[in-house]
Amino acid sequence: MKSNIIYPDLSYKINGILFKIHNELGKYCNEKQYCDLIEEYFKESKLKYEREKILPISFKGETKGRNKVDFLVENKIILEIKAKRIVSREDYYQARRYLTSLNKKICFIVNFHGEYIKPKRILNSQAPE
């Protein structure tokens, strides 16, 4: 039976790390604190990643380095970390821009501010497999 999950093993590893961090830190830290611990667990798990990967310039006159993804894991999955009351529509639009700009298949948005985390997957159907 074929799975509909994109990069199932990698997705499983990332989600395990995210849940572990939420259990450890709870819901009252800031985004950078969550990212610092995620980075530690990525190193421990020997996952290849880039933190705060700068996106290519998308229009003439745009300041270089203005847009960054929190993490690009194994050059496949974009991981966006949030620590706020609610994930907004703008956050989803931002994720779509990131997917298009880097030509990646999937982005996880994770908001650590809630009682429970619910990683959201945003897909880019235009990206190659």
Side-chain angles (χ1 to χ4, degrees):
M1 185 170 107
K2 188 179 185 293
S3 170
N4 288 337
I5 296 174
I6 297 168
Y7 312 124
D9 294 340
L10 183 55
S11 295
Y12 183 79
K13 274 184 194 171
I14 292 170
N15 278 299
I17 288 170
L18 297 173
F19 282 101
K20 191 173 181 179
I21 287 167
H22 191 261
N23 288 339
E24 221 172 287
L25 295 180
K27 62 179 186 172
Y28 297 114
C29 292
N30 67 44
E31 196 177 298
K32 292 287 183 216
Q33 290 170 305
Y34 293 117
C35 287
D36 288 346
L37 194 53
I38 288 168
E39 187 168 21
E40 286 307 307
Y41 280 124
F42 281 173
K43 286 176 186 172
E44 250 179 49
S45 301
K46 297 189 178 15
L47 288 172
K48 291 186 195 106
Y49 68 91
E50 287 180 73
R51 183 170 176 182
E52 295 187 2
K53 177 166 177 62
I54 295 173
L55 299 181
I57 291 174
S58 56
F59 59 88
K60 186 179 173 183
E62 181 182 19
T63 306
K64 184 175 176 18
R66 167 142 316 162
N67 292 306
K68 305 172 195 164
V69 298
D70 290 328
F71 291 96
L72 178 59
V73 186
E74 296 286 338
N75 202 29
K76 293 178 179 176
I77 296 177
I78 296 170
L79 180 58
E80 274 300 298
I81 304 304
K82 304 294 178 193
K84 55 193 205 174
R85 199 170 67 73
I86 192 162
V87 174
S88 68
R89 180 176 285 141
E90 286 75 24
D91 294 320
Y92 289 101
Y93 293 150
Q94 178 187 50
R96 300 278 314 151
R97 278 197 322 274
Y98 291 171
L99 284 166
T100 303
S101 180
L102 291 174
N103 199 25
K104 299 300 173 196
K105 198 84 178 141
I106 188 167
C107 174
F108 293 168
I109 298 179
V110 186
N111 186 9
F112 280 91
H113 193 64
E115 195 65 37
Y116 305 100
I117 62 168
K118 300 173 196 110
K120 302 285 184 208
R121 290 175 172 87
I122 292 86
L123 301 177
N124 179 7
S125 59
Q126 308 303 310
E129 283 297 321

